[in-house]
Amino acid sequence: MNIIVIGNGFDLAHGLPTKYTDFLEFVKVLKIVLEEKNENYDCIDRCNINVQIKTILKENIAQQIEQWKNLLNDIFWIEYFLQNDMHGKENWIDFENEISNLIQSLHMDMYEKGNVSSMYEEIGIYFSNDFLENYTNITSSKRFGIYKDIKDKLYNDLNKLIKALEIYLYYYVNKIKCEKKSPDIQEIIANKDTCIIIQIQ
């Protein structure tokens, strides 16, 4: 019996578009589709994403358009990552660290500095005007209520981001026909009758 242990990078080694940058490029395409409101979805052909993902998207977008509207409408984290310079960072841990760093920064602003205005300078550009209109006159007595509203918004939007990622991985990446095969794996399993594959995270 042969035991194969696979971990991070196995999907990338087989040419699957599973980097967070691949996901963001997919989201950019969806945002274009939603903005153009073209029922032929011609804009998908002009986008630079994985060819198989593009085909799957064209086949499914009509049925999923409302779901994507609900998930991507006014979502803080999508706007944040589309506008934030993540150059040179290609791992999901970078994505997660960026979320953690922003949350910690907000926490410090509220509980250590007590400076609500600096918080808005940092993240205000990513919130919709509708959301910010409620907070044009900020007083210190209201800051913790404001913090709760922002925290709730970030939490709800993070759940939307997770759902969007799940759909991308399950309904799109999962349907890709993997044409690239790792020579190392091929060599290991070539002459073995039984293999057990264990995936670690």
Side-chain angles (χ1 to χ4, degrees), residues 3 13 26 45 51 103 140 148 175:
I3 298 176
F26 176 76
D45 291 321
V51 174
I103 297 296
S140 59
K148 181 183 182 306
K175 292 182 180 178

Side-chain angles (χ1 to χ4, degrees), residues 120-140:
Y120 284 111
E121 288 170 11
E122 290 180 34
I123 67 170
I125 61 171
Y126 305 108
F127 282 116
S128 71
N129 288 336
D130 292 340
F131 184 83
L132 289 179
E133 274 177 8
N134 296 320
Y135 308 113
T136 51
N137 297 313
I138 301 166
T139 62
S140 59

Side-chain angles (χ1 to χ4, degrees), residues 60-95:
N60 292 283
I61 189 62
Q63 296 83 20
Q64 294 182 340
I65 194 78
E66 288 303 317
Q67 184 178 30
W68 285 121
K69 277 183 189 175
N70 293 332
L71 282 176
L72 300 180
N73 182 37
D74 187 28
I75 174 172
F76 171 84
W77 294 110
I78 292 292
E79 296 307 318
Y80 179 79
F81 283 111
L82 289 177
Q83 295 180 44
N84 190 19
D85 182 14
M86 296 285 283
H87 179 71
K89 301 177 180 179
E90 294 195 351
N91 298 315
W92 279 102
I93 190 66
D94 297 319
F95 204 79

